């Protein structure tokens, strides 16, 4: 049975994975990374320039630092169906997420 501390540790691990992926995407191709992550330029610049030590410290938060952007029932439904429909859903996902407002962390 998972304890509260196990859950917090899972959140921290997920945070570190997310920050690591975000940094990699943003350093490889900033504009594409911003689009894929749904981040503003200001937040993207901060994440891209974190040192490894800063990233680890930031990831240690007890709060989940990323969020899922799946708000479209049709897209989610398609992703759970056949591989063909998943391809269509992936294209729809990219198109529907592009105009979304970038996330700003307070």
């Amino acid at each position: 049975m998972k304890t509260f501390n196990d859950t917090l540790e899972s959140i921290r691990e997920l945070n570190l994975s997310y920050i690591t992926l975000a940094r990699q995407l943003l350093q490889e191709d900033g504009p594409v990374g911003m689009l894929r992550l749904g981040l503003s330029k200001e937040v993207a610049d901060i994440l891209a320039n974190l040192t490894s030590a800063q990233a680890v410290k930031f990831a240690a938060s007890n709060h989940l630092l990323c969020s899922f952007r799946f708000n479209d029932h049709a897209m989610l439904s398609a992703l759970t169906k056949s591989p063909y429909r998943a391809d269509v859903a992936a294209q729809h996902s990219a198109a529907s997420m592009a105009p979304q407002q970038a996330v700003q962390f307070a």
Side-chain angles (χ1 to χ4, degrees):
M1 180 172 194
K2 256 192 163 189
T3 67
F4 181 70
N5 287 335
D6 291 336
T7 301
L8 290 178
E9 185 57 31
S10 294
I11 289 172
R12 291 178 189 127
E13 288 176 15
L14 182 58
N15 284 343
L16 185 57
S17 294
Y18 174 76
I19 292 169
T20 301
L21 175 62
R23 288 174 62 212
Q24 179 181 345
L25 288 171
L26 294 167
Q27 290 169 355
E28 287 174 2
D29 188 339
V32 171
M34 288 170 47
L35 177 67
R36 288 183 176 165
L37 297 166
L39 300 175
S40 69
K41 175 145 179 47
E42 294 80 12
V43 172
D45 288 343
I46 291 169
L47 287 174
N49 293 307
L50 287 175
T51 65
S52 294
Q54 289 171 323
V56 169
K57 186 175 181 180
F58 188 40
S61 170
N62 291 339
H63 301 283
L64 196 56
L65 300 176
C66 61
S67 64
F68 291 99
R69 296 186 297 163
F70 294 119
N71 295 321
D72 184 338
H73 177 269
M75 180 192 59
L76 280 175
S77 178
L79 286 171
T80 62
K81 306 296 183 213
S82 72
Y84 168 75
R85 291 189 66 198
D87 290 342
V88 173
Q91 292 172 356
H92 175 72
S93 169
S96 66
M97 288 182 188
Q100 288 183 356
Q101 183 175 355
V103 174
Q104 288 283 355
F105 293 99

